[in-house]
mmCIF file of all heavy atoms in Angstrom:
data_model
loop_
_atom_site.group_PDB
_atom_site.id
_atom_site.type_symbol
_atom_site.label_atom_id
_atom_site.label_comp_id
_atom_site.label_asym_id
_atom_site.label_seq_id
_atom_site.Cartn_x
_atom_site.Cartn_y
_atom_site.Cartn_z
ATOM 1 N N GLU A 194 41.643 40.625 41.258
ATOM 2 C CA GLU A 194 41.295 41.135 42.549
ATOM 3 C C GLU A 194 40.589 42.505 42.445
ATOM 4 O O GLU A 194 39.651 42.785 43.175
ATOM 5 C CB GLU A 194 42.516 41.318 43.507
ATOM 6 C CG GLU A 194 43.087 40.031 44.023
ATOM 7 C CD GLU A 194 43.988 39.296 43.074
ATOM 8 O OE1 GLU A 194 44.246 39.764 41.973
ATOM 9 O OE2 GLU A 194 44.445 38.176 43.462
ATOM 10 N N ARG A 195 41.024 43.284 41.511
ATOM 11 C CA ARG A 195 40.396 44.660 41.317
ATOM 12 C C ARG A 195 38.950 44.466 40.894
ATOM 13 O O ARG A 195 38.082 45.169 41.361
ATOM 14 C CB ARG A 195 41.179 45.464 40.293
ATOM 15 C CG ARG A 195 41.294 46.903 40.653
ATOM 16 C CD ARG A 195 41.956 47.753 39.601
ATOM 17 N NE ARG A 195 41.493 47.360 38.261
ATOM 18 C CZ ARG A 195 42.300 47.264 37.203
ATOM 19 N NH1 ARG A 195 43.565 47.517 37.290
ATOM 20 N NH2 ARG A 195 41.772 46.912 36.039
ATOM 21 N N ASP A 196 38.704 43.521 40.041
ATOM 22 C CA ASP A 196 37.372 43.282 39.560
ATOM 23 C C ASP A 196 36.369 42.775 40.601
ATOM 24 O O ASP A 196 35.181 42.844 40.428
ATOM 25 C CB ASP A 196 37.348 42.307 38.371
ATOM 26 C CG ASP A 196 38.038 42.903 37.120
ATOM 27 O OD1 ASP A 196 38.291 44.139 37.145
ATOM 28 O OD2 ASP A 196 38.311 42.138 36.162
ATOM 29 N N LEU A 197 36.917 42.256 41.684
ATOM 30 C CA LEU A 197 36.062 41.779 42.759
ATOM 31 C C LEU A 197 35.436 42.907 43.584
ATOM 32 O O LEU A 197 34.440 42.763 44.259
ATOM 33 C CB LEU A 197 36.830 40.902 43.747
ATOM 34 C CG LEU A 197 37.212 39.480 43.323
ATOM 35 C CD1 LEU A 197 38.045 38.866 44.455
ATOM 36 C CD2 LEU A 197 35.947 38.687 43.062
ATOM 37 N N VAL A 198 36.101 44.094 43.524
ATOM 38 C CA VAL A 198 35.716 45.183 44.412
ATOM 39 C C VAL A 198 34.959 46.297 43.638
ATOM 40 O O VAL A 198 35.428 46.765 42.595
ATOM 41 C CB VAL A 198 36.970 45.829 45.067
ATOM 42 C CG1 VAL A 198 36.546 46.839 46.110
ATOM 43 C CG2 VAL A 198 37.853 44.754 45.706
ATOM 44 N N SER A 199 33.784 46.673 44.133
ATOM 45 C CA SER A 199 33.043 47.810 43.592
ATOM 46 C C SER A 199 33.180 48.957 44.547
ATOM 47 O O SER A 199 32.772 48.830 45.713
ATOM 48 C CB SER A 199 31.555 47.571 43.437
ATOM 49 O OG SER A 199 31.335 46.371 42.752
ATOM 50 N N PHE A 200 33.723 50.092 44.075
ATOM 51 C CA PHE A 200 33.850 51.250 44.938
ATOM 52 C C PHE A 200 32.676 52.208 44.704
ATOM 53 O O PHE A 200 32.354 52.504 43.565
ATOM 54 C CB PHE A 200 35.189 51.942 44.651
ATOM 55 C CG PHE A 200 36.359 51.180 45.134
ATOM 56 C CD1 PHE A 200 37.097 50.402 44.272
ATOM 57 C CD2 PHE A 200 36.754 51.267 46.460
ATOM 58 C CE1 PHE A 200 38.211 49.672 44.720
ATOM 59 C CE2 PHE A 200 37.854 50.527 46.963
ATOM 60 C CZ PHE A 200 38.545 49.727 46.071
ATOM 61 N N LYS A 201 32.034 52.660 45.774
ATOM 62 C CA LYS A 201 30.917 53.523 45.676
ATOM 63 C C LYS A 201 30.951 54.606 46.771
ATOM 64 O O LYS A 201 31.304 54.291 47.930
ATOM 65 C CB LYS A 201 29.583 52.760 45.917
ATOM 66 C CG LYS A 201 29.342 51.632 44.923
ATOM 67 C CD LYS A 201 28.282 52.027 43.902
ATOM 68 C CE LYS A 201 28.306 51.249 42.623
ATOM 69 N NZ LYS A 201 28.386 49.845 42.663
ATOM 70 N N PRO A 202 30.610 55.873 46.430
ATOM 71 C CA PRO A 202 30.502 56.852 47.508
ATOM 72 C C PRO A 202 29.270 56.546 48.363
ATOM 73 O O PRO A 202 28.199 56.237 47.824
ATOM 74 C CB PRO A 202 30.312 58.174 46.746
ATOM 75 C CG PRO A 202 29.896 57.786 45.382
ATOM 76 C CD PRO A 202 30.290 56.383 45.112
ATOM 77 N N LEU A 203 29.435 56.573 49.677
ATOM 78 C CA LEU A 203 28.301 56.345 50.584
ATOM 79 C C LEU A 203 28.560 56.996 51.916
ATOM 80 O O LEU A 203 29.612 56.813 52.515
ATOM 81 C CB LEU A 203 28.078 54.825 50.810
ATOM 82 C CG LEU A 203 26.891 54.524 51.685
ATOM 83 C CD1 LEU A 203 25.591 54.311 50.876
ATOM 84 C CD2 LEU A 203 27.102 53.316 52.556
ATOM 85 N N ASN A 204 27.565 57.789 52.364
ATOM 86 C CA ASN A 204 27.632 58.398 53.676
ATOM 87 C C ASN A 204 27.016 57.426 54.696
ATOM 88 O O ASN A 204 25.803 57.109 54.586
ATOM 89 C CB ASN A 204 26.840 59.711 53.617
ATOM 90 C CG ASN A 204 26.931 60.464 54.934
ATOM 91 O OD1 ASN A 204 27.433 60.008 55.918
ATOM 92 N ND2 ASN A 204 26.408 61.695 54.846
ATOM 93 N N LEU A 205 27.799 57.030 55.678
ATOM 94 C CA LEU A 205 27.305 56.035 56.646
ATOM 95 C C LEU A 205 26.169 56.543 57.547
ATOM 96 O O LEU A 205 25.458 55.797 58.128
ATOM 97 C CB LEU A 205 28.466 55.513 57.480
ATOM 98 C CG LEU A 205 29.388 54.496 56.723
ATOM 99 C CD1 LEU A 205 30.662 54.269 57.521
ATOM 100 C CD2 LEU A 205 28.644 53.192 56.484
ATOM 101 N N ILE A 206 26.040 57.900 57.612
ATOM 102 C CA ILE A 206 24.933 58.396 58.427
ATOM 103 C C ILE A 206 23.702 58.723 57.538
ATOM 104 O O ILE A 206 22.727 59.278 58.080
ATOM 105 C CB ILE A 206 25.344 59.594 59.340
ATOM 106 C CG1 ILE A 206 25.595 60.890 58.516
ATOM 107 C CG2 ILE A 206 26.478 59.290 60.226
ATOM 108 C CD1 ILE A 206 25.453 62.163 59.322
ATOM 109 N N GLY A 207 23.800 58.403 56.256
ATOM 110 C CA GLY A 207 22.660 58.590 55.388
ATOM 111 C C GLY A 207 21.967 57.299 55.068
ATOM 112 O O GLY A 207 22.103 56.306 55.823
ATOM 113 N N ALA A 208 21.202 57.301 53.953
ATOM 114 C CA ALA A 208 20.503 56.083 53.554
ATOM 115 C C ALA A 208 21.472 55.093 52.931
ATOM 116 O O ALA A 208 22.469 55.432 52.334
ATOM 117 C CB ALA A 208 19.446 56.447 52.490
#
Side-chain angles (χ1 to χ4, degrees):
E194 284 83 1
R195 220 185 42 221
D196 291 350
L197 285 179
V198 187
S199 309
F200 289 98
K201 300 255 158 49
L203 182 91
N204 184 351
L205 285 167
I206 70 157

